[in-house]
Amino acid sequence: GAGVSQSPSNKVTEKGKDVELRCDPISGHTALYWYRQSLGQGLEFLIYFQGNSAPDKSGLPSDRFSAERTGGSVSTLTIQRTQQEDSAVYLCASSLGGTSVYEQYFGPGTRLTVT
Amino acid sequence: AQSVTQLDSQVPVFEEAPVELRCNYSSSVSVYLFWYVQYPNQGLQLLLKYLSGSTLVESINGFEAEFNKSQTSFHLRKPSVHISDTAEYFCAVSASAGGRGSTLGRLYFGRGTQLTVWP
């Protein structure tokens, strides 16, 4: 079946602009994670959604970052007033939730370049 | 919180040689352990995992890893590598239970080890 998809695959934006990154999880997966992969910081957790529960936003690096998940499916990560240090690959992962929450399936990522 | 250390950022080996990629972790709670692989220009793929039971876990392509609780390690090994194994390998841990201060399933990754297999 279809895996996790992310769009766009690449995004180049000017410093100060807002960007939206989209994640379509695997159908039926209730848990959704956003991670960021950058040269300086490796792979970092950003935010976690589980069903209808309040998301865990503890990994968001600043208040310029926000995310939402509509209808328990598609998620959008928004970065406002982008900075050069936001340049990274943003990865989305989903899992079944419950006892299978640990088996996370990753999307191909969105490569964000802030110029 | 948990943390992961992958001591080797680069491991070059010749084809058909054995390889070991090292992973050590730190945690005050019980953990689950994972190895992910990232081939060039591709996303992360789960290679193998330890959740419970036998401490030796195997993947379908010949890799194995052993959970050693006393040494807090989860090293990845393969007795004979192929050129197609060239990729970046990430070790990751998550707490085995959610709760206060812990996100269920949240993965803590090591910095990765680039395995390059030469002919």
Side-chain angles (χ1 to χ4, degrees):
Chain A
V4 178
S5 61
Q6 293 186 244
S7 60
S9 56
N10 281 283
K11 176 73 177 178
V12 180
T13 190
E14 292 180 353
K15 177 181 174 181
K17 300 285 188 182
D18 297 352
V19 295
E20 285 190 352
L21 312 179
R22 177 187 169 104
C23 172
D24 281 274
I26 294 172
S27 178
H29 281 195
T30 61
L32 187 148
Y33 300 81
W34 283 97
Y35 295 87
R36 177 169 73 172
Q37 184 176 23
S38 58
L39 283 176
Q41 301 297 325
L43 276 153
E44 306 170 274
F45 164 80
L46 296 177
I47 188 169
Y48 162 58
F49 296 90
Q50 171 59 62
N52 296 320
S53 302
D56 181 338
K57 306 178 182 180
S58 59
L60 295 179
S62 78
D63 59 8
R64 296 186 295 104
F65 288 72
S66 63
E68 62 178 20
R69 189 178 184 192
T70 54
S73 180
V74 172
S75 177
T76 302
L77 177 70
T78 300
I79 309 173
Q80 296 179 310
R81 305 181 303 281
T82 52
Q83 303 294 314
Q84 287 185 332
E85 61 262 29
D86 300 334
S87 295
V89 177
Y90 290 81
L91 296 170
C92 175
S94 71
S95 68
L96 278 172
T99 56
S100 298
V101 68
Y102 307 100
E103 304 211 25
Q104 296 181 27
Y105 297 84
F106 282 79
T110 293
R111 182 175 296 278
L112 174 67
T113 304
V114 182
T115 60
Chain B
Q2 291 75 45
S3 67
V4 178
T5 301
Q6 290 181 249
L7 288 171
D8 306 305
S9 59
Q10 309 249 1
V11 173
V13 294
F14 287 109
E15 195 173 21
E16 297 182 6
V19 71
E20 178 180 81
L21 307 183
R22 295 179 292 169
C23 171
N24 289 88
Y25 70 91
S26 173
S27 177
S28 57
V29 299
S30 296
V31 296
Y32 296 142
L33 295 150
F34 307 85
W35 277 98
Y36 281 84
V37 58
Q38 187 172 34
Y39 297 102
N41 301 313
Q42 295 188 26
L44 285 166
Q45 301 174 32
L46 180 64
L47 183 62
L48 46 75
K49 64 183 184 287
Y50 169 78
L51 302 182
S52 65
S54 173
T55 56
L56 183 65
V57 291
E58 298 177 353
S59 72
I60 59 173
N61 58 352
F63 282 95
E64 64 178 31
E66 186 161 18
F67 169 50
N68 188 320
K69 188 174 182 180
S70 63
Q71 297 186 5
T72 60
S73 69
F74 192 56
H75 301 328
L76 182 69
R77 303 183 182 94
K78 189 170 185 179
S80 176
V81 294
H82 302 287
I83 291 177
S84 59
D85 293 324
T86 294
E88 188 149 23
Y89 292 80
F90 294 91
C91 182
V93 302
S94 67
S96 61
R100 187 176 183 178
S102 175
T103 294
L104 191 65
R106 169 181 174 174
L107 292 169
Y108 294 82
F109 287 92
R111 290 296 186 100
T113 297
Q114 174 63 46
L115 173 65
T116 303
V117 181
W118 299 100

